[in-house]
Amino acid sequence: MLSHRLRHRIHIQQPEKTQDPQTGEEIAGWQTLYLGLKPLNSVPAEVLTGAGREFIAADAKQSETTARINIRWFPVDISLFYQCRILWDGRVYDIHSIETDLTGRQEWRLRCKDGVN
């Protein structure tokens, strides 16, 4: 992996449920994903966005953009990534698929979408 390609910084978040102390209701939120003791809030990445598309859903015009995000490989349970989301440049990307390079130990390739969930 060429380090000069990793010019973007992404923030990886995982879902978090907390309980409201007054009502007892579960509140869904997001928190930074940690790898051991290291927060994944400024991960060097290469973000390649594709062409967006517009469509009509729920009687309103919606838009969606796809992206491929490449990051350095690190040991992690791959099923954990599917629950996470990525913040980059004011956008929220949902992870739809995860691939690795041929060696399996150089980079993660995340296929993501933003827009309508």
Side-chain angles (χ1 to χ4, degrees):
M1 167 161 263
L2 302 173
S3 62
H4 70 277
R5 292 174 34 200
L6 304 177
R7 61 184 178 274
H8 305 109
R9 295 288 183 258
I10 63 170
H11 188 140
I12 303 175
Q13 293 183 327
Q14 66 183 0
E16 171 193 41
K17 291 185 180 177
T18 58
Q19 190 172 22
D20 188 340
Q22 294 180 350
T23 64
E25 178 184 8
E26 274 194 0
I27 301 170
W30 294 91
Q31 72 175 5
T32 301
L33 179 66
Y34 280 81
L35 184 63
L37 297 175
K38 183 180 179 187
L40 299 179
N41 60 0
S42 183
V43 179
E46 176 185 31
V47 181
L48 304 169
T49 57
R53 71 180 186 113
E54 291 184 347
F55 57 95
I56 304 291
D59 291 331
K61 189 179 268 190
Q62 306 289 333
S63 65
E64 180 179 80
T65 307
T66 59
R68 189 178 82 198
I69 301 175
N70 300 327
I71 57 176
R72 290 185 195 276
W73 184 88
F74 52 86
V76 68
D77 181 14
I78 198 165
S79 64
L80 177 66
F81 266 151
Y82 283 108
Q83 302 169 12
C84 295
R85 71 180 189 178
I86 293 176
L87 303 177
W88 174 71
D89 196 30
R91 295 182 180 179
V92 177
Y93 288 94
D94 295 321
I95 300 171
H96 286 272
S97 71
I98 303 165
E99 303 163 2
T100 186
D101 59 294
L102 293 176
T103 66
R105 297 256 176 171
Q106 283 187 330
E107 66 182 359
W108 292 111
R109 297 175 185 155
L110 311 174
R111 299 225 181 246
C112 307
K113 289 186 182 179
D114 82 330
V116 179
N117 293 328

